[in-house]
Amino acid sequence: MERRWCRSTPNLVPDTIAVALIGWLARVLDRTDGPALASRRPPPSSQGGNIDFSRRLGYVGEVQALDASDTSGKRLSVVIPAFNEADRLGPTLERVTSFLAGARRWRPAEILVVDDGSSDLTAELARSHTVIEGVDLAVAVHPVNRGKGAAVRTGFSRSSGEWVLLTDADMSAPIEDLTVLAAAAGPDAVAVGSRAVDRRLVTERQPLHRDLMGRTFNLAIRALGLTRLSDTQCGFKLFPGDLARRLASAQQLDGFSFDVELLVLARHWGYHVEEVGVHWQHVEASRVMAIRHSSQMLRDALKLWWWRTSRRLPAEPRGVS
């Protein structure tokens, strides 16, 4: 079961006073930053902190880079942003590797773990994982915690796959549902896993406060005209590889609203966004702090709304693939 984000997005906020207030708030929040976008952000090679491609060493200054022979021909890149995930990452890597071992259509593949400034042994655990033939493993390390959006940007920019799968370290959505996403994705379409399309697929629900927080945020971004999707925040999405790398070169938001920005940019550049139901199970030990991150997400959504309304979203980059 799937939903298509229609080409036209209706204005869901007819109250001009509310719109003016939101615009004023966004201007205040936007003071010095905003999409002069890619031109004001350091190039991707300087964003990722200390990049440890531990399976294929080839040092360039402080950055360990992929050998040129390993940067092409990948069918799939699996990007896993991780922050203090030493307790959960091992089983996730085992499950991803096991799935790829039995899914020849997705090989050769690479798994890209981005440690976003963890204080535990996340990076060390990732490096110690044993991969199989036809699957490479790379670990990128941010020296400090910069946010999930920043981790995703690093992973996307370092990917080389024809397809790029974004999945959470807790694997709340099973890797096996990649086949569901693949059926909806295409060269001009992003497939977005959703908990809202068919709630019968949710085997264990979030705590009530988390569920309400998510629904409220979705209502807010729908009211701002940023989406018509019912769930933008499920951490399970499949992107055409070239699009993922172009998004990484333009993305600005480092926090949890990065999903919305990626989808807004993709639509702005003419891509379809398909929302498809996937299996999902809540996993405890979330890294989301309700009050702090809710306010940050709302602030970032207002920024994004202002950039879109004032036509400051960037054009699709050329020469990035």
Side-chain angles (χ1 to χ4, degrees):
M1 185 175 182
E2 60 188 57
R3 299 180 181 179
R4 171 162 294 190
W5 187 353
C6 301
R7 291 186 180 276
S8 60
T9 302
N11 179 8
L12 301 178
V13 192
D15 190 330
T16 56
I17 295 177
V19 170
L21 177 60
I22 290 172
W24 176 81
L25 286 171
R27 281 181 181 273
V28 171
L29 292 168
D30 189 47
R31 293 173 187 260
T32 59
D33 54 5
L37 285 172
S39 64
R40 295 200 353 219
R41 182 171 293 282
S45 61
S46 65
Q47 292 179 40
N50 297 320
I51 309 301
D52 174 14
F53 293 101
S54 52
R55 299 300 185 190
R56 303 176 298 278
L57 300 182
Y59 289 89
V60 182
E62 294 184 347
V63 176
Q64 296 180 13
L66 289 168
D67 292 338
S69 61
D70 291 323
T71 58
S72 62
K74 295 291 190 295
R75 174 68 171 162
L76 178 69
S77 298
V78 181
V79 174
I80 306 176
F83 176 61
N84 290 339
E85 294 286 1
D87 57 337
R88 301 191 292 197
L89 188 58
T92 292
L93 292 175
E94 291 289 348
R95 188 166 179 178
V96 171
T97 302
S98 176
F99 171 79
L100 292 173
R104 182 174 297 180
R105 66 171 290 197
W106 294 113
R107 301 198 309 269
E110 61 183 354
I111 303 171
L112 304 171
V113 177
V114 184
D115 179 356
D116 188 31
S118 297
S119 58
D120 62 6
L121 298 178
T122 293
E124 288 78 2
L125 186 146
R127 293 188 190 105
S128 69
H129 178 68
T130 301
V131 292
I132 60 172
E133 183 178 356
V135 178
D136 291 326
L137 173 66
V139 181
V141 179
H142 290 174
V144 296
N145 178 244
R146 295 169 54 194
K148 187 176 181 181
V152 169
R153 183 189 307 118
T154 295
F156 278 18
S157 68
R158 303 294 173 182
S159 69
S160 61
E162 179 183 351
W163 294 95
V164 175
L165 175 68
L166 172 63
T167 186
D168 284 341
D170 61 12
M171 195 130 290
S172 294
I175 185 68
E176 293 78 11
D177 273 8
L178 172 58
T179 56
V180 178
L181 296 185
D188 64 347
V190 178
V192 177
S194 174
R195 297 159 291 190
V197 168
D198 186 352
R199 295 195 178 273
R200 292 172 300 179
L201 299 177
V202 178
T203 56
E204 184 173 341
R205 297 185 182 277
Q206 300 179 95
L208 180 60
H209 73 282
R210 285 283 308 279
D211 187 58
L212 290 175
M213 185 176 80
R215 290 176 188 244
T216 301
F217 179 71
N218 184 259
L219 286 173
I221 59 176
R222 288 166 69 108
L224 291 169
L226 296 175
T227 189
R228 294 189 68 186
L229 301 185
S230 299
D231 182 9
T232 58
Q233 303 309 111
C234 178
F236 197 60
K237 299 176 175 69
L238 183 64
F239 296 80
D242 287 347
L243 173 60
R245 289 178 280 277
R246 289 170 186 151
L247 288 169
S249 73
Q251 178 197 344
Q252 291 290 294
L253 300 179
D254 289 344
F256 286 103
S257 291
F258 79 92
D259 301 83
V260 184
E261 182 185 17
L262 294 182
L263 300 181
V264 166
L265 287 175
R267 286 294 301 142
H268 180 62
W269 296 344
Y271 293 84
H272 299 292
V273 176
E274 306 287 351
E275 183 177 22
V276 297
V278 294
H279 293 87
W280 195 85
Q281 178 178 343
H282 174 69
V283 178
E284 286 296 341
S286 169
R287 306 302 182 243
V288 178
M289 293 181 282
I291 296 177
R292 173 187 171 187
H293 290 142
S294 292
S295 60
Q296 180 193 59
M297 290 170 70
L298 179 58
R299 180 194 66 196
D300 285 347
L302 289 171
K303 281 187 178 183
L304 186 57
W305 176 86
W306 179 248
W307 295 341
R308 181 174 177 269
T309 301
S310 59
R311 299 185 178 181
R312 299 176 65 192
L313 292 177
E316 184 175 5
R318 299 301 175 185
V320 178
S321 61

